[in-house]
Amino acid sequence: MKFGVLKDTKEGEYRVIATPAETSMILRDGHTVYVQKGAGEGSGFKDEDYLREGAILLETREEIYKKSDFVAKVKEIEEEEFPLLRQDQIVFTCIHPAAHPQEVQALLKSGCIAFTAEDSHRYGSPNCEAAGKQGALMGLESLLSIHGGKGKFVNGLGGAPGVKALVLGGGTVGRAAVSVLHALGAWVTVMDINIGTLREIGRQFNEEVNTEISNRYNIEKILPEIDVVYNCVKWPKESKEFLISREMVASMEKGSVIVDISNDVGAIETFRETTHNNPRYVEEGVVHYCVSNIPSAISQSTSIAYAASVLPHFRRIMNKGVEQACIEDGFLRRSLTVYKGRLTHEETSALQGLPWIKPEDVLKIADCELDVAPPATGTRSNHFLKE
């Protein structure tokens, strides 16, 4: 199979989906690897590094799409790429389909086979770990006076108290943020809706962090005394209320900080997406840091970890085919988003009102012994495509 590594061109994006290490392993499996020139430069990988492993360099993304049976990148398919997609081509990237209807329509129209990477991780995405850890540092940086923050130091100084941090969500992102904040000596409170998760976090950090059930009452009560809030919650897109309303933001002290790591519209009323080039803005006297691709700031570390985590998906698909790969890995199966003109992603169906078909049905593998994986989200759809 011919595998193409695309250069990500989203503003402020420096990661690459496959490093020379993954390139070497795919080539050893007997496949051809095309790499767009400069694809790895933002992460510290030179074109010569890929050439040394046996990859073929191509100048443009147009060439990559034209020559490759399977193309991969880190972030969403951009509008300029829509015409380049083609029938039966395999695509693997972070599509975030439920939030990008135009992208979904382009994928459907092309007749390609697309996997959304964010739903494919059995043990949590390295991107989530990177976002949590680096996001923790971005929040502390945003507290600096030079950025409009209070000017507090993370673990305090002699006679001056340290930072009080609130982490909303105890998943991969939240725990990663807590690990950095706790290690640096911040006063940390974690909120989650699952008491079992909170118990695990307590044990993980030697009962040195506070834990509370996440609800409107507890958040409203604690916000006025918090210096920096980290939103690590995957907010239901169908929700009609905010996790943190504008009024709640206004209750925080001037110069406090909100870091919206999740970047889910609807969680925080004062949210608007920002970029690394202009990462902060102030609403209600509170500094907001809402960069959507925080992991790109540590592009080399993230690329190495992320590429290693998705390589098994690439090899399984290329060595065994889409059907067998989806039989053997339920997490890959649930990430199948479109298949030759048919939507196979349940959350997208529910939120965009589009008919869908289950991956196991469109692949005709429902009667096979399937690897089991939980649904990617709690959003359900009974709007099935009629065959």
Side-chain angles (χ1 to χ4, degrees):
M1 190 173 282
K2 297 175 181 178
F3 180 71
V5 179
L6 288 160
K7 179 179 180 179
D8 275 85
T9 56
K10 181 174 179 174
E11 184 179 354
E13 185 53 63
Y14 304 102
R15 289 169 290 177
V16 66
I17 192 67
T19 77
E22 289 71 43
T23 299
S24 174
M25 297 188 73
I26 292 170
L27 285 162
R28 287 176 180 273
D29 287 341
H31 306 290
T32 301
V33 178
Y34 298 115
V35 177
Q36 186 178 347
K37 285 186 178 179
E41 285 182 354
S43 300
F45 302 107
K46 300 176 182 178
D47 288 342
E48 292 77 11
D49 298 332
Y50 290 97
L51 283 173
R52 193 176 300 113
E53 299 305 325
I56 299 169
L57 292 180
L58 296 178
E59 192 73 39
T60 66
R61 63 184 174 193
E62 285 79 8
E63 292 176 280
I64 294 286
Y65 274 103
K66 184 177 180 180
K67 290 180 175 288
S68 303
D69 307 308
F70 186 157
V71 295
K73 58 186 292 195
V74 176
K75 295 300 289 182
E76 298 86 3
I77 302 295
E78 299 180 63
E79 190 172 350
E80 295 80 6
E81 297 174 87
F82 292 171
L84 305 178
L85 297 162
R86 55 184 172 80
Q87 180 78 27
D88 297 338
Q89 190 171 53
I90 300 169
V91 178
F92 187 99
T93 191
C94 289
I95 299 170
H96 300 291
H100 295 94
Q102 288 184 317
E103 185 182 18
V104 170
Q105 287 303 317
L107 291 167
L108 289 169
K109 183 180 178 181
S110 72
C112 74
I113 301 167
F115 293 88
T116 187
E118 65 272 16
D119 289 345
S120 71
H121 302 286
R122 186 178 296 269
Y123 305 108
S125 171
N127 282 321
C128 292
E129 179 186 4
K133 288 184 173 180
Q134 187 59 39
L137 296 178
M138 296 304 197
L140 297 176
E141 184 186 17
S142 298
L143 268 176
L144 298 179
S145 304
I146 57 176
H147 296 308
K150 290 180 179 179
K152 294 187 72 170
F153 187 65
V154 56
N155 65 347
L157 305 173
V163 167
K164 290 184 179 180
L166 172 62
V167 176
L168 297 171
T172 302
V173 178
R175 293 188 194 206
V178 174
S179 71
V180 170
L181 295 167
H182 176 258
L184 292 175
W187 297 78
V188 183
T189 297
V190 185
M191 288 190 183
D192 196 275
I193 59 173
N194 187 321
I195 194 167
T197 295
L198 296 177
R199 285 173 178 156
E200 289 176 4
I201 290 172
R203 289 192 293 269
Q204 180 179 349
F205 296 101
N206 300 314
E207 311 300 344
E208 293 171 353
V209 300
N210 296 318
T211 59
E212 289 190 52
I213 291 294
S214 182
N215 56 42
R216 176 62 68 92
Y217 177 86
N218 284 339
I219 296 173
E220 284 184 340
K221 186 177 179 181
I222 200 174
L223 274 182
E225 65 183 69
I226 291 297
D227 300 307
V228 55
V229 177
Y230 296 92
N231 176 36
C232 307
V233 174
K234 189 170 184 180
W235 195 241
K237 295 178 178 62
E238 67 274 14
S239 178
K240 303 300 182 184
E241 64 177 358
F242 297 104
L243 179 65
I244 296 179
S245 67
R246 179 175 290 275
E247 182 180 6
M248 293 164 72
V249 173
S251 74
M252 300 176 70
E253 286 187 352
K254 182 180 179 181
S256 298
V257 171
I258 291 176
V259 181
D260 196 339
I261 299 178
S262 291
N263 250 241
D264 273 349
V265 175
I268 298 173
E269 188 171 4
T270 49
F271 163 84
R272 64 175 183 268
E273 185 177 340
T274 61
T275 67
H276 288 293
N277 291 335
N278 188 21
R280 300 175 184 86
Y281 62 90
V282 178
E283 288 273 355
E284 304 294 344
V286 174
V287 180
H288 290 61
Y289 185 99
C290 302
V291 174
S292 62
N293 58 336
I294 291 174
S296 183
I298 49 171
S299 59
Q300 185 172 106
S301 293
T302 307
S303 293
I304 291 171
Y306 185 51
S309 75
V310 296
L311 176 64
H313 289 326
F314 296 164
R315 297 182 73 190
R316 188 173 278 120
I317 290 170
M318 285 190 277
N319 294 341
K320 299 184 177 182
V322 170
E323 291 82 0
Q324 187 60 34
C326 287
I327 290 171
E328 294 181 6
D329 193 326
F331 285 81
L332 181 63
R333 185 175 67 252
R334 77 178 192 181
S335 72
L336 185 65
T337 301
V338 302
Y339 185 83
K340 300 182 180 181
R342 285 166 286 185
L343 180 68
T344 53
H345 196 262
E346 185 172 12
E347 182 185 35
T348 302
S349 169
L351 298 181
Q352 295 182 20
L354 300 173
W356 77 297
I357 182 171
K358 293 180 179 180
E360 55 266 34
D361 291 335
V362 76
L363 295 173
K364 296 180 171 52
I365 59 173
D367 293 333
C368 298
E369 187 176 344
L370 302 176
D371 177 60
V372 178
T377 73
T379 305
R380 305 275 74 88
S381 173
N382 291 318
H383 187 18
F384 290 108
L385 185 68
K386 295 181 180 178
E387 288 289 314

